[in-house]
Amino acid sequence: MTDSARGARFGTGGSADDSPEQRVGEWDGDHLRDRDPVAAGYVVVEEAEDLGIDPAELGDEDLIRELHSLHRTRLDTLRHAADTALANHLRRTAELETEYLSRHPGREVDPSRLRDGD
């Protein structure tokens, strides 16, 4: 994808090198939101939808299991899911990873994963 295509798709607020997670603030994942849902034939559902258990309430095993599940489905979601599903996936991944990092701030870094200068 060219830089101009990235800018056109995600706005101009971030760098073309930003990851989708970094761009999620610019792109809320629902470009259809501003359309009239009734005129478009969509069923309007209230936002009482459960978006998952608060990561802080998960035990360590459950947190790892949830992260594993999200990472396992990442590519399929990125390539084939609806925009709202991708946005939800990005949000949930960020919540769970943030919780993991808060629990493990001194996590062991594998030296073989480092680049020169890190």
Side-chain angles (χ1 to χ4, degrees), residues 75-97:
L75 184 58
D76 189 53
T77 303
L78 177 64
R79 294 184 66 210
H80 305 293
D83 289 342
T84 51
L86 178 58
N88 189 49
H89 197 276
L90 291 168
R91 179 198 53 79
R92 186 65 174 165
T93 300
E95 289 175 355
L96 293 168
E97 288 180 348

Side-chain angles (χ1 to χ4, degrees), residues 5-47:
R6 284 187 185 122
R9 176 76 171 121
F10 296 110
T12 58
S15 166
D17 295 326
D18 287 349
S19 69
E21 291 83 358
Q22 291 166 316
R23 292 190 302 252
V24 77
E26 303 163 19
W27 175 61
D28 67 5
D30 196 354
H31 63 278
L32 299 175
R33 181 192 63 244
D34 295 328
R35 293 177 53 185
D36 178 4
V38 175
Y42 295 110
V43 175
V44 179
V45 179
E46 294 296 321
E47 296 242 2

